[in-house]
Amino acid sequence: MAEAASQVLLGSGLTILSQPLMYVKVLVQVGYEPLPPTMGRNIFGRQVCQLPGLFCYAQHIMTIDGKCGLFKGLTPRLCSGAIGTVVHSKVLQRYQDCDNAEELKQGLATPPQKDVPSTFDRVIKETTREMMARSAATLVTHPFHVITLRSMVQFIGRETKYCGLCDSIITIYREEGILGFFAGLIPRLLGDIISLWLCNSLAYLVNTYALESGVSTMNEMKSYSQAVTGFFASMLTYPFVLISNLMAVNNCGLVGGCPPYAPIYSSWLDCWCALQKEGNLSRGNSLFFRKVPFGKTYCCDLRMLI
């Protein structure tokens, strides 16, 4: 219990610190570009037409709503993080309790040495349990995630439809029913599951076949392989995150999620195909060195790329 409480506190602190970053990222993901592009240089020194980066974007928000404006949607996001941490730990604890009960049932004080699973079997077992824990946490907290996103996207049309947590819950239920709380859930779940399996599988392959055991430096490198493979997996599955966020605000009554600003998608697959044709499946993946997409023209009146 104490460990879960410490994880909640740590997670809440990180959530507060990262809120401005997520706010800007969500607005970029939905295609909101309030500032015109400027001429700049990329990481290779080549002159390109760039869209404003994180700091310019955040400064624009502060000029309109002040510093507090960067923390819109913080309350439901904190609730999502706290509840998700508790659910995640409870599910893993239940698996641990089942293992302990099985050992006691067999009358063994320690796990049987003859039946110790191989390394790959252990990776599959641990990854499966982690997948179940994450999926349960995502399923329970997704309604708060939807409210968080819609609270942020309100900035585009200057609406006040999703201001309080309770009012937002009532609004979604009245207009969309129970299903409204789970808009964009499927691509989010798929992205989490694929990312987890990619991360753990790649880490296992790297640690087993690419790095030699018994060397101190190699053992240290193995401790970082999980983080490296996790970053790589998150890059590959980013389109699922983008599609999930877009579907969470799509056709919700806000300017940022309805025509003429944004098209109405019939499903998350329809959204995926549309963004793929436009070459926008990585939109919002980087908040620095943001060049104008090829073939797009910036229109100041619409505050978006057309």
Side-chain angles (χ1 to χ4, degrees), residues 201-254:
S201 299
L202 289 175
Y204 168 76
L205 293 175
V206 170
N207 292 340
T208 303
Y209 299 105
L211 302 178
E212 298 180 0
S213 301
V215 183
S216 59
T217 55
M218 289 301 173
N219 291 334
E220 291 179 2
M221 291 179 64
K222 286 183 178 182
S223 63
Y224 296 106
S225 63
Q226 193 81 15
V228 175
T229 55
F231 175 77
F232 180 72
S234 65
M235 292 287 292
L236 291 179
T237 57
Y238 176 78
F240 289 95
V241 177
L242 174 62
I243 298 301
S244 174
N245 289 351
L246 290 180
M247 292 305 297
V249 302
N250 189 244
N251 197 25
C252 65
L254 299 176

Side-chain angles (χ1 to χ4, degrees), residues 93-112:
Q93 184 62 45
R94 179 59 62 90
Y95 279 118
Q96 185 63 42
D97 292 341
C98 291
D99 288 343
N100 295 337
E102 185 66 24
E103 293 175 11
L104 292 175
K105 184 178 179 180
Q106 296 176 1
L108 300 174
T110 57

